[in-house]
Coordinates of all heavy atoms in Angstrom, one line a residue:
G31 N 70.0 -57.0 32.3 CA 70.0 -57.9 33.4 C 69.4 -59.2 33.1 O 70.0 -60.3 33.4
I32 N 68.2 -59.2 32.5 CA 67.6 -60.4 32.1 C 68.3 -61.2 31.0 O 68.5 -62.4 31.1 CB 66.1 -60.2 31.6 CG1 65.2 -59.6 32.8 CG2 65.5 -61.5 31.1 CD1 63.8 -59.2 32.4
G33 N 68.8 -60.5 30.1 CA 69.6 -61.0 29.0 C 70.9 -61.8 29.5 O 71.2 -62.9 29.1
Q34 N 71.6 -61.1 30.4 CA 72.8 -61.7 31.0 C 72.5 -63.1 31.7 O 73.2 -64.0 31.6 CB 73.5 -60.8 31.9 CG 74.1 -59.6 31.2 CD 74.8 -58.7 32.2 OE1 75.4 -59.1 33.2 NE2 74.7 -57.3 32.0
A35 N 71.4 -63.0 32.5 CA 71.0 -64.2 33.3 C 70.5 -65.3 32.3 O 70.9 -66.5 32.6 CB 69.8 -63.8 34.2
L36 N 69.9 -65.0 31.2 CA 69.5 -66.0 30.3 C 70.7 -66.7 29.6 O 70.7 -67.8 29.4 CB 68.5 -65.4 29.2 CG 67.1 -65.1 29.7 CD1 66.4 -64.2 28.7 CD2 66.4 -66.4 29.8
V37 N 71.6 -65.8 29.2 CA 72.9 -66.4 28.6 C 73.5 -67.4 29.5 O 73.9 -68.5 29.1 CB 73.8 -65.2 28.2 CG1 75.2 -65.8 27.8 CG2 73.2 -64.4 27.0
S38 N 73.7 -66.9 30.7 CA 74.4 -67.8 31.7 C 73.7 -69.1 31.9 O 74.3 -70.2 31.9 CB 74.6 -67.0 33.1 OG 75.2 -67.8 34.0
Q39 N 72.4 -69.0 32.1 CA 71.7 -70.3 32.4 C 71.5 -71.2 31.2 O 71.6 -72.4 31.3 CB 70.3 -69.9 33.0 CG 70.4 -69.3 34.4 CD 69.1 -69.1 35.0 OE1 68.1 -69.9 34.9 NE2 68.9 -68.0 35.9
L40 N 71.3 -70.6 30.0 CA 71.2 -71.4 28.8 C 72.5 -72.1 28.6 O 72.5 -73.3 28.2 CB 70.9 -70.5 27.6 CG 69.5 -70.1 27.3 CD1 69.3 -69.0 26.3 CD2 68.7 -71.3 26.8
A41 N 73.6 -71.4 28.8 CA 74.9 -72.0 28.5 C 75.2 -73.2 29.4 O 75.7 -74.2 29.0 CB 76.1 -71.0 28.7
R42 N 74.8 -73.1 30.7 CA 75.0 -74.1 31.6 C 74.0 -75.3 31.5 O 74.4 -76.4 31.7 CB 75.0 -73.6 33.0 CG 76.2 -72.7 33.4 CD 76.2 -72.1 34.7 NE 77.4 -71.5 35.1 CZ 77.8 -70.2 34.7 NH1 76.9 -69.5 34.1 NH2 79.0 -69.8 35.0
Q43 N 72.8 -75.0 31.1 CA 71.8 -76.0 30.9 C 72.0 -76.8 29.6 O 71.6 -78.0 29.5 CB 70.4 -75.4 30.9 CG 69.9 -74.9 32.2 CD 68.5 -74.3 32.1 OE1 67.8 -74.6 31.2 NE2 68.1 -73.6 33.1
R44 N 72.7 -76.1 28.6 CA 72.8 -76.8 27.3 C 74.3 -76.8 27.0 O 74.7 -76.1 26.0 CB 72.0 -76.1 26.2 CG 70.5 -76.0 26.6 CD 69.8 -75.3 25.5 NE 68.4 -75.0 25.9 CZ 67.4 -74.5 25.1 NH1 67.8 -74.1 23.9 NH2 66.2 -74.3 25.5
P45 N 75.2 -77.5 27.6 CA 76.6 -77.4 27.4 C 77.0 -77.9 26.0 O 78.1 -77.5 25.5 CB 77.2 -78.4 28.5 CG 76.0 -79.3 28.8 CD 74.8 -78.4 28.7
A46 N 76.1 -78.6 25.3 CA 76.5 -79.1 24.0 C 76.1 -78.1 22.9 O 76.5 -78.2 21.7 CB 75.8 -80.5 23.7
D47 N 75.4 -77.1 23.2 CA 74.9 -76.1 22.3 C 75.7 -74.8 22.4 O 76.2 -74.4 23.4 CB 73.4 -75.8 22.5 CG 72.5 -77.0 22.4 OD1 73.0 -78.0 21.8 OD2 71.4 -76.9 22.8
T48 N 75.8 -74.1 21.2 CA 76.4 -72.8 21.3 C 75.3 -71.7 21.6 O 74.2 -71.8 21.1 CB 77.0 -72.4 19.9 OG1 78.0 -73.4 19.5 CG2 77.6 -71.0 19.8
V49 N 75.7 -70.8 22.5 CA 74.8 -69.8 22.9 C 75.4 -68.4 22.4 O 76.4 -68.0 22.8 CB 74.6 -69.7 24.4 CG1 73.7 -68.5 24.8 CG2 74.1 -71.0 25.0
Y50 N 74.6 -67.8 21.5 CA 75.0 -66.5 21.0 C 74.4 -65.4 21.8 O 73.2 -65.3 22.0 CB 74.6 -66.3 19.5 CG 75.5 -67.1 18.5 CD1 75.0 -68.4 18.1 CD2 76.6 -66.6 18.0 CE1 75.8 -69.1 17.2 CE2 77.4 -67.3 17.1 CZ 77.0 -68.6 16.7 OH 77.8 -69.3 15.9
A51 N 75.3 -64.5 22.4 CA 74.8 -63.4 23.2 C 75.0 -62.1 22.3 O 76.1 -61.7 22.1 CB 75.6 -63.3 24.5
L52 N 73.9 -61.6 21.9 CA 73.9 -60.5 20.9 C 73.6 -59.1 21.6 O 72.5 -59.0 22.3 CB 72.9 -60.7 19.8 CG 73.0 -62.1 19.1 CD1 72.0 -62.1 17.9 CD2 74.4 -62.4 18.6
S53 N 74.4 -58.1 21.4 CA 74.1 -56.8 21.9 C 74.9 -55.8 21.2 O 75.9 -56.1 20.5 CB 74.4 -56.7 23.5 OG 75.7 -56.9 23.7
R54 N 74.6 -54.5 21.4 CA 75.4 -53.5 20.7 C 76.8 -53.5 21.1 O 77.7 -53.2 20.4 CB 74.7 -52.1 21.0 CG 73.4 -51.9 20.3 CD 72.8 -50.5 20.6 NE 71.5 -50.3 20.0 CZ 71.3 -49.8 18.8 NH1 72.4 -49.4 18.1 NH2 70.1 -49.7 18.3
Q55 N 77.0 -53.8 22.4 CA 78.4 -53.9 22.9 C 78.6 -55.3 23.5 O 77.9 -55.7 24.4 CB 78.7 -52.9 24.0 CG 78.7 -51.5 23.5 CD 79.1 -50.5 24.6 OE1 78.9 -50.8 25.8 NE2 79.6 -49.3 24.2
A56 N 79.5 -56.1 22.8 CA 79.6 -57.5 23.3 C 80.1 -57.5 24.7 O 81.0 -56.8 25.2 CB 80.7 -58.2 22.5
G57 N 79.4 -58.4 25.6 CA 79.7 -58.4 27.0 C 80.9 -59.1 27.3 O 81.5 -59.8 26.4
N58 N 81.2 -59.1 28.6 CA 82.4 -59.8 29.0 C 82.1 -61.3 29.3 O 81.2 -61.6 30.1 CB 83.0 -59.2 30.3 CG 84.2 -59.8 30.8 OD1 84.8 -60.8 30.2 ND2 84.7 -59.4 32.0
A59 N 82.6 -62.2 28.5 CA 82.3 -63.6 28.6 C 83.1 -64.3 29.7 O 82.9 -65.5 29.9 CB 82.5 -64.3 27.3
S60 N 83.9 -63.6 30.4 CA 84.7 -64.3 31.4 C 83.8 -64.8 32.5 O 82.9 -64.2 32.9 CB 85.7 -63.3 32.1 OG 85.0 -62.2 32.7
G61 N 84.1 -66.0 32.9 CA 83.3 -66.7 33.9 C 82.1 -67.5 33.3 O 81.5 -68.2 34.1
L62 N 81.9 -67.3 32.1 CA 80.9 -68.0 31.4 C 81.4 -69.2 30.7 O 82.6 -69.3 30.3 CB 80.1 -67.2 30.4 CG 79.2 -66.0 30.9 CD1 78.7 -65.2 29.8 CD2 78.1 -66.6 31.8
P63 N 80.6 -70.3 30.5 CA 81.1 -71.5 29.8 C 81.7 -71.1 28.4 O 81.3 -70.1 27.8 CB 79.9 -72.4 29.7 CG 79.1 -72.0 30.8 CD 79.2 -70.4 30.9
D64 N 82.5 -72.0 27.9 CA 83.2 -71.8 26.6 C 82.1 -71.8 25.4 O 82.5 -71.4 24.3 CB 84.2 -72.9 26.3 CG 85.4 -72.8 27.3 OD1 85.6 -71.7 27.8 OD2 86.1 -73.8 27.5
N65 N 80.9 -72.3 25.6 CA 80.0 -72.4 24.5 C 79.3 -71.0 24.3 O 78.3 -71.0 23.5 CB 79.0 -73.5 24.8 CG 78.2 -73.4 26.1 OD1 78.7 -72.8 27.0 ND2 77.0 -73.9 26.1
V66 N 79.6 -70.0 25.0 CA 79.0 -68.7 24.8 C 79.9 -67.9 23.8 O 81.1 -67.8 24.0 CB 78.9 -67.9 26.1 CG1 78.4 -66.5 25.9 CG2 78.0 -68.6 27.1
I67 N 79.2 -67.3 22.8 CA 79.9 -66.4 21.9 C 79.2 -65.1 21.9 O 78.0 -65.0 21.6 CB 79.8 -67.0 20.4 CG1 80.5 -68.4 20.3 CG2 80.4 -66.0 19.5 CD1 80.4 -68.9 18.9
S68 N 79.9 -64.1 22.4 CA 79.4 -62.7 22.5 C 79.6 -62.0 21.1 O 80.7 -62.1 20.6 CB 80.1 -61.9 23.6 OG 79.8 -62.5 24.9
V69 N 78.6 -61.5 20.6 CA 78.6 -60.8 19.3 C 78.1 -59.4 19.5 O 77.1 -59.1 20.0 CB 77.7 -61.5 18.3 CG1 77.7 -60.8 17.0 CG2 78.1 -63.0 18.1
S70 N 79.0 -58.4 19.0 CA 78.6 -57.0 19.0 C 78.0 -56.7 17.7 O 78.6 -56.8 16.6 CB 79.9 -56.2 19.2 OG 79.6 -54.8 19.1
M71 N 76.7 -56.3 17.7 CA 76.0 -55.9 16.5 C 74.8 -55.0 16.9 O 74.3 -55.0 18.0 CB 75.5 -57.2 15.8 CG 74.4 -58.0 16.6 SD 73.8 -59.4 15.7 CE 72.7 -58.6 14.4
D72 N 74.4 -54.3 15.9 CA 73.2 -53.5 16.1 C 72.0 -54.4 15.9 O 71.6 -54.7 14.7 CB 73.2 -52.3 15.1 CG 72.0 -51.3 15.2 OD1 71.1 -51.7 16.1 OD2 72.0 -50.3 14.6
T73 N 71.4 -54.7 16.9 CA 70.2 -55.7 16.8 C 69.0 -55.1 16.3 O 68.0 -55.8 16.1 CB 69.9 -56.3 18.2 OG1 69.7 -55.2 19.1 CG2 71.1 -57.1 18.8
A74 N 69.1 -53.8 15.9 CA 67.9 -53.1 15.3 C 68.2 -52.9 13.8 O 67.3 -52.5 13.0 CB 67.7 -51.7 15.9
D75 N 69.3 -53.3 13.3 CA 69.7 -53.1 11.9 C 69.4 -54.3 11.1 O 70.0 -55.4 11.3 CB 71.2 -52.8 11.8 CG 71.7 -52.6 10.4 OD1 71.0 -52.9 9.4 OD2 72.9 -52.1 10.2
E76 N 68.4 -54.2 10.2 CA 67.9 -55.4 9.5 C 69.0 -56.1 8.7 O 69.0 -57.3 8.6 CB 66.7 -55.1 8.6 CG 66.1 -56.3 8.0 CD 64.8 -56.1 7.2 OE1 64.4 -55.0 7.1 OE2 64.3 -57.2 6.8
E77 N 69.8 -55.3 8.0 CA 70.9 -55.9 7.3 C 71.8 -56.7 8.1 O 72.3 -57.8 7.8 CB 71.7 -54.8 6.5 CG 72.9 -55.3 5.7 CD 72.4 -56.4 4.6 OE1 71.2 -56.4 4.2 OE2 73.3 -57.2 4.1
A78 N 72.1 -56.2 9.3 CA 73.0 -57.0 10.3 C 72.2 -58.2 10.7 O 72.9 -59.3 10.9 CB 73.3 -56.1 11.5
I79 N 71.0 -58.1 11.0 CA 70.1 -59.3 11.3 C 70.2 -60.3 10.2 O 70.4 -61.5 10.4 CB 68.7 -58.9 11.6 CG1 68.6 -57.9 12.8 CG2 67.8 -60.1 11.8 CD1 67.2 -57.3 13.0
R80 N 70.0 -59.9 9.0 CA 70.0 -60.8 7.8 C 71.4 -61.5 7.7 O 71.4 -62.7 7.5 CB 69.7 -60.0 6.5 CG 69.6 -60.9 5.3 CD 69.5 -60.1 4.0 NE 70.7 -59.3 3.8 CZ 71.8 -59.8 3.3 NH1 71.9 -61.1 2.9 NH2 72.9 -59.0 3.1
Q81 N 72.4 -60.7 7.8 CA 73.8 -61.3 7.7 C 74.0 -62.3 8.8 O 74.6 -63.4 8.6 CB 74.8 -60.2 7.7 CG 74.8 -59.3 6.4 CD 75.9 -58.3 6.4 OE1 76.8 -58.3 7.3 NE2 75.8 -57.4 5.5
F82 N 73.6 -62.0 10.0 CA 73.9 -62.9 11.1 C 73.1 -64.3 10.9 O 73.6 -65.3 11.0 CB 73.4 -62.3 12.4 CG 73.4 -63.2 13.6 CD1 74.6 -63.4 14.3 CD2 72.3 -63.9 14.0 CE1 74.7 -64.3 15.4 CE2 72.4 -64.8 15.1 CZ 73.6 -65.0 15.8
C83 N 71.8 -64.2 10.5 CA 71.0 -65.4 10.3 C 71.5 -66.2 9.1 O 71.6 -67.4 9.1 CB 69.5 -65.0 10.1 SG 68.8 -64.4 11.5
Q84 N 72.0 -65.5 8.0 CA 72.5 -66.2 6.9 C 73.8 -66.9 7.2 O 74.1 -68.0 6.8 CB 72.8 -65.2 5.7 CG 71.5 -64.8 5.0 CD 71.8 -64.0 3.7 OE1 72.9 -63.4 3.6 NE2 70.8 -63.8 2.9

Side-chain angles (χ1 to χ4, degrees):
I32 296 175
Q34 290 181 39
L36 285 166
V37 169
S38 178
Q39 292 187 33
L40 277 167
R42 289 179 169 86
Q43 289 180 15
R44 307 179 185 184
D47 300 345
T48 299
V49 178
Y50 285 95
L52 312 183
S53 62
R54 290 178 182 271
Q55 292 184 338
N58 183 2
S60 63
L62 290 175
D64 293 338
N65 58 331
V66 175
I67 298 177
S68 293
V69 178
S70 177
M71 63 176 287
D72 183 352
T73 55
D75 181 343
E76 184 171 8
E77 179 58 22
I79 296 169
R80 183 188 66 79
Q81 290 182 8
F82 175 83
C83 291
Q84 284 187 344

